[in-house]
Amino acid sequence: MLKMSNDKAFTEEQKQFLSGFAFGSDVARAVSGLPVISNGSSCAGDASVTIGAKPTTTLPVGPEKIALIAQQETESAGKTLCKEELAKREKNPLDMWDEMQTRSDAGEFPKGTDVFLTKFHGLFYVAPAQNSYMCRMRIPGGLLHSWQLTGLADLADRSAGGFLDVTTRANLQYREIPADQAMNILYGLRELEIVNLGAGGDNIRNCTASPLSGIDSDELIETIPLAKRMHHYILNNREMYGLPRKFNIAFDGGGTISALDDTNDIGFHAVAIDASNATADFPAGVYFQLTLGGITGHKDFARPTGVLLRPDQCLAVAGAIVRVFVQSGDRTDRKKARLKYVLDDWGFDKFVAAVEEQLGDTLGRFEESKLTRSVAENRLAHIGFHSQSQSGKSYVGVVLPVGRMTSDQARGIAKIANEYGNGEIRLTVWQNLLIPNLSDADIDAVKEHLLELGLGYEASSFRAGLVACTGSGGCKFAAAETKTQAMALAEHLESQFELDSPINIHLTGCHHSCAQHYIGDIGLLGCKVEKGDDMVDGYHVHLGGGWGDRQGIARLIFESVAFEDMPTLISSIVGGYLEQRREGETFVEFTSRSSDDELRSLARALV
């Protein structure tokens, strides 16, 4: 027996060297048709590698092996992998660059499972809605620079539809990308220092943060730096690409514009411990409360785990959570493949224990009642001019009609940010953008330039909370043309009412809930409605959703209402609320105390 001269066991480094050496010997013998002697794979806890056609098991190699082992374990348990998992096993989506280049050169779109695998590079073939690609980016924390936005506008003109869409993850999308422009888009983004690898498919999506990070006098801590670090952590750890389904991470600093962290798989929400509640393990200061399992499209918010983290712990903990999810998520049923369902099955205690085992450390807990939470959120803070924490400085929230701006408008915004600000542009989860660090003396000039671009800086209490997904004009799943109809609905309501508190209206085209209809004061889910001999656009109407302190899932009150009847119906609901509300009562408070029948009675003549 080989033994260390000082009788000590092998170091971990020595074990890994010997394991690799033995595994290489196994491979060489297998290639030569000789029997495997060393069983070198056993040190890694895996099966043997497939060489040629004879061996029946596979040894994954590299960091991504945890996902492949999870697939093996699923099949070993007698279960059947879904087609997407089979596609990922057959071809690593991250190894398709040359293949995509060949397809782009030929002016061809992907077919079969390649449509799904190409999403891992942020490219979505959206036929039959459009015979083109949509491209989703990665803009961590929503922070852009003027030179990037100018470059994105130029690229939109060269290779996409000449416009940019802001998403509900403080991100950007291109649409109307021809087949032969796919690689020009991917190369162009990287030249603008925007790496969108993993922007689609079964990956961690754009990491969001509080858009006023660093300029908000009410925030507890800056969060954009953390979102950027998380972004690079994901890009540089291949285990982060082996998920059973998509995954969302958000950091909220407790300021005036919410990052909607409670709708994410992982939410880091800033809280404070004051001196009277401090302990030796948790001195007075700012921490992040860890919440898990948000997926409002499945009617669930992220829930507190009891774990409290220092800012410097967040990345490692997020990585451990993702690794446990990779190992434990459902790979047979796409509808049950999100983190929520692991938590429902395991319970939070078991899941957090697995995360601690992955980390090799115990996570600290702190009694929630002794934490101080910020109550600074302002639902209109993402629109209009507002003072910053820096003396003499302001930011402006620019109104983008349901999140869309033309390439000329994007160049104009970049010019304003460069000439009057510090070159920053910040995207929000409310499908608009902010231009920060404006001198108060320049506000009038900025207003004039925005109006010249055809953009506003004021919004009604309807339009400020108006959110719409792409809709049937650009998404094969959508049952309604959400963006156009959202604008028509807002215009109708503005002509009827003037609100003293905002009412958020979220229009989403399908059950995927990209516009998060369940958290809107009024949430509209697209459907087709029979009207005479035709099937027309319509919506299921949900009332009473909210987030944060107003957290709640909107209830289905009206089903299958044709859009042509929607302005009258929503007007009746809003009018009834204004007539019947108690003093100072918000819409969500009104709907919360009202029964379903009472809410239906607001529009009895229409149902």
Side-chain angles (χ1 to χ4, degrees):
M1 176 183 289
L2 180 63
K3 195 172 183 181
M4 297 291 287
S5 60
N6 60 2
D7 289 333
K8 290 185 177 180
F10 289 122
T11 66
E12 188 61 33
E13 183 177 4
Q14 289 167 329
K15 289 179 182 178
Q16 291 179 7
F17 172 80
L18 289 172
S19 175
F21 180 83
F23 175 60
S25 178
D26 284 350
V27 171
R29 294 182 66 83
V31 169
S32 302
L34 299 173
V36 171
I37 296 175
S38 68
N39 190 26
S41 66
S42 62
C43 291
D46 304 331
S48 62
V49 67
T50 298
I51 310 244
K54 288 188 178 180
T56 58
T57 54
T58 301
L59 172 65
V61 293
E64 64 270 27
K65 68 184 179 182
I66 61 173
L68 300 175
I69 291 171
Q71 291 175 337
Q72 288 181 340
E73 291 176 344
T74 298
E75 291 185 316
S76 296
K79 300 177 182 178
T80 301
L81 295 173
C82 65
K83 64 180 182 179
E84 289 83 2
E85 290 298 317
L86 293 172
K88 289 186 290 186
R89 185 168 66 182
E90 181 70 21
K91 181 193 298 184
N92 188 330
L94 306 185
D95 296 334
M96 295 177 62
W97 194 264
D98 289 347
E99 181 180 337
M100 293 191 302
Q101 181 70 65
T102 299
R103 195 156 40 229
S104 183
D105 290 343
E108 297 174 350
F109 288 109
K111 298 177 182 178
T113 55
D114 282 346
V115 173
F116 165 66
L117 297 175
T118 304
K119 294 178 182 179
F120 285 65
H121 297 265
L123 288 172
F124 293 66
Y125 180 38
V126 296
Q130 294 175 338
N131 193 38
S132 62
Y133 284 113
M134 176 269 282
C135 182
R136 184 176 291 144
M137 303 178 201
R138 275 192 183 281
I139 302 173
L143 177 63
L144 273 174
H145 299 283
S146 58
W147 62 271
Q148 289 176 305
L149 186 56
T150 298
L152 288 170
D154 294 343
L155 186 58
D157 285 340
R158 290 196 305 270
S159 299
F163 58 89
L164 291 150
D165 284 344
V166 182
T167 78
T168 54
R169 290 208 63 77
N171 200 6
L172 290 175
Q173 291 179 352
Y174 283 135
R175 290 194 169 270
E176 300 178 11
I177 302 168
D180 64 355
Q181 294 299 306
M183 295 306 292
N184 288 342
I185 289 288
L186 295 184
Y187 277 115
L189 290 176
R190 283 159 174 77
E191 288 163 4
L192 293 168
E193 298 183 10
I194 297 172
V195 179
N196 68 330
L197 189 67
D202 297 343
N203 297 302
I204 304 169
R205 302 299 172 80
N206 194 49
C207 296
T208 56
S210 301
L212 296 181
S213 171
I215 63 174
D216 187 346
S217 57
D218 291 314
E219 72 179 352
L220 297 176
I221 189 172
E222 292 188 52
T223 52
I224 286 180
L226 284 166
K228 292 171 70 174
R229 287 294 178 94
M230 191 78 249
H231 165 79
H232 290 289
Y233 182 98
I234 293 164
L235 290 178
N236 291 285
N237 282 281
R238 280 185 287 167
E239 303 102 314
M240 301 293 105
Y241 294 91
L243 284 67
R245 279 299 300 271
K246 70 176 183 178
F247 200 91
N248 294 321
I249 302 174
F251 297 85
D252 193 300
T256 53
I257 301 179
S258 174
L260 293 181
D261 54 292
D262 54 1
T263 68
N264 286 251
D265 295 281
I266 301 176
F268 294 106
H269 194 97
V271 292
I273 297 177
D274 61 33
S276 63
N277 290 316
T279 66
D281 291 333
F282 289 99
V286 175
Y287 298 83
F288 281 100
Q289 188 178 34
L290 175 66
T291 62
L292 295 174
I295 175 173
T296 55
H298 294 222
K299 301 184 179 181
D300 214 348
F301 288 95
R303 288 161 280 168
T305 59
V307 171
L308 204 61
L309 301 171
R310 300 187 311 272
D312 65 312
Q313 294 177 293
C314 290
L315 268 62
V317 170
I321 291 167
V322 172
R323 289 179 177 90
V324 173
F325 175 54
V326 169
Q327 295 166 331
S328 60
D330 193 322
R331 295 181 182 271
T332 67
D333 183 354
R334 301 282 286 179
K335 295 179 181 178
K336 301 291 186 181
R338 295 294 297 272
L339 178 63
K340 161 188 160 56
Y341 295 101
V342 178
L343 295 169
D344 288 348
D345 184 31
W346 286 17
F348 273 52
D349 290 343
K350 178 179 175 179
F351 188 85
V352 172
V355 171
E356 291 174 324
E357 183 178 357
Q358 177 68 227
L359 277 172
D361 197 7
T362 301
L363 298 174
R365 274 75 164 174
F366 198 85
E367 187 178 335
E368 187 168 5
S369 63
K370 295 182 179 180
L371 297 173
T372 300
R373 293 178 65 92
S374 171
V375 290
E377 185 190 355
N378 175 359
R379 292 173 67 182
L380 295 176
H382 64 287
I383 297 294
F385 288 86
H386 302 269
S387 297
Q388 296 181 185
S389 57
Q390 294 81 10
S391 178
K393 295 291 184 180
S394 294
Y395 72 88
V396 60
V398 180
V399 179
L400 300 177
V402 287
R404 180 161 291 179
M405 56 181 158
T406 67
S407 55
D408 285 340
Q409 288 173 328
R411 279 185 284 266
I413 289 167
K415 186 176 181 181
I416 293 171
N418 208 41
E419 291 185 4
Y420 296 100
N422 67 337
E424 287 185 0
I425 298 100
R426 302 183 180 203
L427 309 175
T428 83
V429 298
W430 305 107
Q431 293 187 310
N432 77 317
L433 59 83
L434 317 177
I435 306 175
N437 298 303
L438 305 171
S439 295
D440 291 345
D442 292 327
I443 286 177
D444 287 342
V446 172
K447 288 180 178 179
E448 184 177 342
H449 286 305
L450 288 173
L451 293 175
E452 288 172 355
L453 291 172
L455 296 172
Y457 50 85
E458 296 177 328
S460 69
S461 294
F462 292 109
R463 203 175 297 261
L466 191 66
V467 177
C469 71
T470 298
S472 56
C475 176
K476 66 180 179 180
F477 298 109
E481 182 47 75
T482 53
K483 284 191 180 293
T484 301
Q485 291 163 357
M487 295 299 296
L489 184 58
E491 289 172 7
H492 174 81
L493 293 171
E494 287 169 346
S495 71
Q496 301 290 314
F497 306 102
E498 186 171 335
L499 299 178
D500 51 15
S501 65
I503 293 179
N504 278 49
I505 303 177
H506 294 223
L507 295 87
T508 198
C510 74
H511 65 280
H512 290 119
S513 191
C514 292
Q516 298 182 306
H517 65 287
Y518 281 123
I519 67 167
D521 289 298
I522 300 174
L524 307 180
L525 172 60
C527 63
K528 289 299 182 184
V529 177
E530 188 174 352
K531 198 83 168 177
D533 295 330
D534 299 321
M535 297 299 291
V536 300
D537 285 9
Y539 293 90
H540 303 306
V541 181
H542 303 73
L543 301 179
W547 64 91
D549 293 337
R550 301 175 306 283
Q551 190 178 97
I553 297 295
R555 292 136 55 195
L556 177 61
I557 303 299
F558 301 98
E559 293 189 67
S560 301
V561 180
F563 179 72
E564 64 183 66
D565 298 325
M566 194 63 62
T568 302
L569 172 62
I570 302 302
S571 292
S572 299
I573 293 169
V574 173
Y577 154 66
L578 293 175
E579 290 175 4
Q580 300 178 25
R581 66 178 176 173
R582 297 167 181 166
E583 185 176 355
E585 189 173 46
T586 64
F587 187 85
V588 72
E589 290 168 341
F590 170 76
T591 54
S592 182
R593 69 170 173 84
S594 302
S595 69
D596 290 1
D597 285 340
E598 287 172 331
L599 293 174
R600 291 189 187 102
S601 71
L602 298 177
R604 184 64 66 189
L606 296 174
V607 297

mmCIF file of all heavy atoms in Angstrom, residues 564-584:
data_model
loop_
_atom_site.group_PDB
_atom_site.id
_atom_site.type_symbol
_atom_site.label_atom_id
_atom_site.label_comp_id
_atom_site.label_asym_id
_atom_site.label_seq_id
_atom_site.Cartn_x
_atom_site.Cartn_y
_atom_site.Cartn_z
ATOM 1 N N GLU A 564 -63.151 44.214 -26.270
ATOM 2 C CA GLU A 564 -64.008 45.356 -26.610
ATOM 3 C C GLU A 564 -64.923 45.741 -25.441
ATOM 4 O O GLU A 564 -65.384 46.885 -25.366
ATOM 5 C CB GLU A 564 -64.840 45.050 -27.855
ATOM 6 C CG GLU A 564 -65.830 43.923 -27.691
ATOM 7 C CD GLU A 564 -66.563 43.621 -28.988
ATOM 8 O OE1 GLU A 564 -65.931 43.163 -29.954
ATOM 9 O OE2 GLU A 564 -67.791 43.857 -29.027
ATOM 10 N N ASP A 565 -65.156 44.810 -24.526
ATOM 11 C CA ASP A 565 -65.965 45.112 -23.333
ATOM 12 C C ASP A 565 -65.111 45.517 -22.127
ATOM 13 O O ASP A 565 -65.660 45.916 -21.094
ATOM 14 C CB ASP A 565 -66.801 43.890 -22.940
ATOM 15 C CG ASP A 565 -67.781 43.480 -24.030
ATOM 16 O OD1 ASP A 565 -68.306 44.379 -24.712
ATOM 17 O OD2 ASP A 565 -67.994 42.267 -24.211
ATOM 18 N N MET A 566 -63.791 45.397 -22.288
ATOM 19 C CA MET A 566 -62.911 45.594 -21.139
ATOM 20 C C MET A 566 -62.890 47.045 -20.632
ATOM 21 O O MET A 566 -62.940 47.262 -19.404
ATOM 22 C CB MET A 566 -61.493 45.133 -21.491
ATOM 23 C CG MET A 566 -60.571 44.965 -20.297
ATOM 24 S SD MET A 566 -61.146 43.692 -19.160
ATOM 25 C CE MET A 566 -61.062 42.271 -20.236
ATOM 26 N N PRO A 567 -62.798 48.077 -21.494
ATOM 27 C CA PRO A 567 -62.787 49.447 -20.953
ATOM 28 C C PRO A 567 -64.001 49.766 -20.082
ATOM 29 O O PRO A 567 -63.871 50.368 -19.014
ATOM 30 C CB PRO A 567 -62.749 50.313 -22.220
ATOM 31 C CG PRO A 567 -62.065 49.444 -23.240
ATOM 32 C CD PRO A 567 -62.568 48.060 -22.951
ATOM 33 N N THR A 568 -65.172 49.312 -20.520
ATOM 34 C CA THR A 568 -66.380 49.576 -19.736
ATOM 35 C C THR A 568 -66.345 48.807 -18.410
ATOM 36 O O THR A 568 -66.714 49.347 -17.355
ATOM 37 C CB THR A 568 -67.632 49.175 -20.539
ATOM 38 O OG1 THR A 568 -67.652 49.908 -21.764
ATOM 39 C CG2 THR A 568 -68.900 49.469 -19.750
ATOM 40 N N LEU A 569 -65.897 47.555 -18.469
ATOM 41 C CA LEU A 569 -65.833 46.746 -17.251
ATOM 42 C C LEU A 569 -64.860 47.337 -16.240
ATOM 43 O O LEU A 569 -65.201 47.501 -15.056
ATOM 44 C CB LEU A 569 -65.415 45.316 -17.606
ATOM 45 C CG LEU A 569 -65.126 44.392 -16.418
ATOM 46 C CD1 LEU A 569 -66.378 44.215 -15.563
ATOM 47 C CD2 LEU A 569 -64.597 43.050 -16.889
ATOM 48 N N ILE A 570 -63.662 47.668 -16.677
ATOM 49 C CA ILE A 570 -62.658 48.202 -15.744
ATOM 50 C C ILE A 570 -63.098 49.564 -15.217
ATOM 51 O O ILE A 570 -62.872 49.886 -14.040
ATOM 52 C CB ILE A 570 -61.274 48.286 -16.416
ATOM 53 C CG1 ILE A 570 -60.842 46.901 -16.921
ATOM 54 C CG2 ILE A 570 -60.239 48.821 -15.439
ATOM 55 C CD1 ILE A 570 -60.784 45.829 -15.864
ATOM 56 N N SER A 571 -63.737 50.360 -16.057
ATOM 57 C CA SER A 571 -64.273 51.647 -15.579
ATOM 58 C C SER A 571 -65.300 51.432 -14.478
ATOM 59 O O SER A 571 -65.337 52.171 -13.484
ATOM 60 C CB SER A 571 -64.905 52.425 -16.740
ATOM 61 O OG SER A 571 -63.928 52.853 -17.654
ATOM 62 N N SER A 572 -66.139 50.428 -14.627
ATOM 63 C CA SER A 572 -67.145 50.134 -13.601
ATOM 64 C C SER A 572 -66.480 49.721 -12.295
ATOM 65 O O SER A 572 -66.918 50.120 -11.206
ATOM 66 C CB SER A 572 -68.076 49.022 -14.083
ATOM 67 O OG SER A 572 -68.769 49.408 -15.244
ATOM 68 N N ILE A 573 -65.413 48.928 -12.397
ATOM 69 C CA ILE A 573 -64.708 48.480 -11.201
ATOM 70 C C ILE A 573 -64.043 49.652 -10.490
ATOM 71 O O ILE A 573 -64.178 49.823 -9.267
ATOM 72 C CB ILE A 573 -63.663 47.409 -11.577
ATOM 73 C CG1 ILE A 573 -64.362 46.142 -12.067
ATOM 74 C CG2 ILE A 573 -62.746 47.107 -10.397
ATOM 75 C CD1 ILE A 573 -63.434 45.139 -12.710
ATOM 76 N N VAL A 574 -63.333 50.474 -11.262
ATOM 77 C CA VAL A 574 -62.643 51.623 -10.668
ATOM 78 C C VAL A 574 -63.654 52.611 -10.091
ATOM 79 O O VAL A 574 -63.475 53.129 -8.979
ATOM 80 C CB VAL A 574 -61.730 52.303 -11.702
ATOM 81 C CG1 VAL A 574 -61.140 53.591 -11.132
ATOM 82 C CG2 VAL A 574 -60.616 51.353 -12.137
ATOM 83 N N GLY A 575 -64.728 52.862 -10.838
ATOM 84 C CA GLY A 575 -65.752 53.780 -10.349
ATOM 85 C C GLY A 575 -66.403 53.289 -9.071
ATOM 86 O O GLY A 575 -66.642 54.064 -8.132
ATOM 87 N N GLY A 576 -66.677 51.986 -9.011
ATOM 88 C CA GLY A 576 -67.255 51.416 -7.801
ATOM 89 C C GLY A 576 -66.326 51.541 -6.607
ATOM 90 O O GLY A 576 -66.761 51.830 -5.480
ATOM 91 N N TYR A 577 -65.045 51.328 -6.852
ATOM 92 C CA TYR A 577 -64.051 51.487 -5.780
ATOM 93 C C TYR A 577 -64.048 52.921 -5.255
ATOM 94 O O TYR A 577 -64.081 53.148 -4.031
ATOM 95 C CB TYR A 577 -62.666 51.093 -6.307
ATOM 96 C CG TYR A 577 -61.509 51.756 -5.604
ATOM 97 C CD1 TYR A 577 -61.215 51.491 -4.266
ATOM 98 C CD2 TYR A 577 -60.692 52.665 -6.278
ATOM 99 C CE1 TYR A 577 -60.142 52.098 -3.629
ATOM 100 C CE2 TYR A 577 -59.617 53.279 -5.650
ATOM 101 C CZ TYR A 577 -59.348 52.999 -4.329
ATOM 102 O OH TYR A 577 -58.302 53.609 -3.695
ATOM 103 N N LEU A 578 -64.021 53.891 -6.152
ATOM 104 C CA LEU A 578 -63.970 55.289 -5.727
ATOM 105 C C LEU A 578 -65.231 55.695 -4.959
ATOM 106 O O LEU A 578 -65.170 56.506 -4.034
ATOM 107 C CB LEU A 578 -63.777 56.190 -6.950
ATOM 108 C CG LEU A 578 -62.423 56.061 -7.668
ATOM 109 C CD1 LEU A 578 -62.397 56.909 -8.930
ATOM 110 C CD2 LEU A 578 -61.267 56.439 -6.743
ATOM 111 N N GLU A 579 -66.366 55.116 -5.313
ATOM 112 C CA GLU A 579 -67.618 55.448 -4.636
ATOM 113 C C GLU A 579 -67.730 54.775 -3.264
ATOM 114 O O GLU A 579 -68.259 55.363 -2.322
ATOM 115 C CB GLU A 579 -68.808 55.016 -5.506
ATOM 116 C CG GLU A 579 -68.993 55.849 -6.761
ATOM 117 C CD GLU A 579 -70.108 55.303 -7.634
ATOM 118 O OE1 GLU A 579 -70.772 54.311 -7.211
ATOM 119 O OE2 GLU A 579 -70.320 55.838 -8.733
ATOM 120 N N GLN A 580 -67.228 53.564 -3.140
ATOM 121 C CA GLN A 580 -67.485 52.759 -1.950
ATOM 122 C C GLN A 580 -66.309 52.671 -0.973
ATOM 123 O O GLN A 580 -66.475 52.133 0.124
ATOM 124 C CB GLN A 580 -67.879 51.335 -2.374
ATOM 125 C CG GLN A 580 -69.129 51.273 -3.228
ATOM 126 C CD GLN A 580 -69.466 49.852 -3.664
ATOM 127 O OE1 GLN A 580 -69.091 48.880 -3.011
ATOM 128 N NE2 GLN A 580 -70.173 49.726 -4.783
ATOM 129 N N ARG A 581 -65.158 53.163 -1.357
ATOM 130 C CA ARG A 581 -63.988 53.003 -0.494
ATOM 131 C C ARG A 581 -64.137 53.823 0.789
ATOM 132 O O ARG A 581 -64.839 54.844 0.834
ATOM 133 C CB ARG A 581 -62.729 53.439 -1.231
ATOM 134 C CG ARG A 581 -62.688 54.929 -1.555
ATOM 135 C CD ARG A 581 -61.400 55.325 -2.242
ATOM 136 N NE ARG A 581 -61.412 56.727 -2.620
ATOM 137 C CZ ARG A 581 -60.360 57.380 -3.117
ATOM 138 N NH1 ARG A 581 -59.209 56.750 -3.287
ATOM 139 N NH2 ARG A 581 -60.457 58.658 -3.439
ATOM 140 N N ARG A 582 -63.434 53.388 1.805
ATOM 141 C CA ARG A 582 -63.349 54.133 3.039
ATOM 142 C C ARG A 582 -62.251 55.183 2.918
ATOM 143 O O ARG A 582 -61.424 55.120 2.008
ATOM 144 C CB ARG A 582 -63.066 53.168 4.194
ATOM 145 C CG ARG A 582 -64.169 52.149 4.420
ATOM 146 C CD ARG A 582 -63.741 51.036 5.331
ATOM 147 N NE ARG A 582 -64.813 50.050 5.523
ATOM 148 C CZ ARG A 582 -64.646 48.858 6.048
ATOM 149 N NH1 ARG A 582 -63.426 48.468 6.462
ATOM 150 N NH2 ARG A 582 -65.668 48.025 6.182
ATOM 151 N N GLU A 583 -62.226 56.087 3.847
ATOM 152 C CA GLU A 583 -61.251 57.184 3.775
ATOM 153 C C GLU A 583 -59.820 56.627 3.771
ATOM 154 O O GLU A 583 -59.432 55.853 4.647
ATOM 155 C CB GLU A 583 -61.438 58.139 4.954
ATOM 156 C CG GLU A 583 -60.524 59.365 4.878
ATOM 157 C CD GLU A 583 -60.772 60.354 6.001
ATOM 158 O OE1 GLU A 583 -61.721 60.125 6.793
ATOM 159 O OE2 GLU A 583 -60.024 61.342 6.097
ATOM 160 N N GLY A 584 -59.052 57.025 2.764
ATOM 161 C CA GLY A 584 -57.659 56.622 2.658
ATOM 162 C C GLY A 584 -57.443 55.182 2.226
ATOM 163 O O GLY A 584 -56.306 54.696 2.218
#
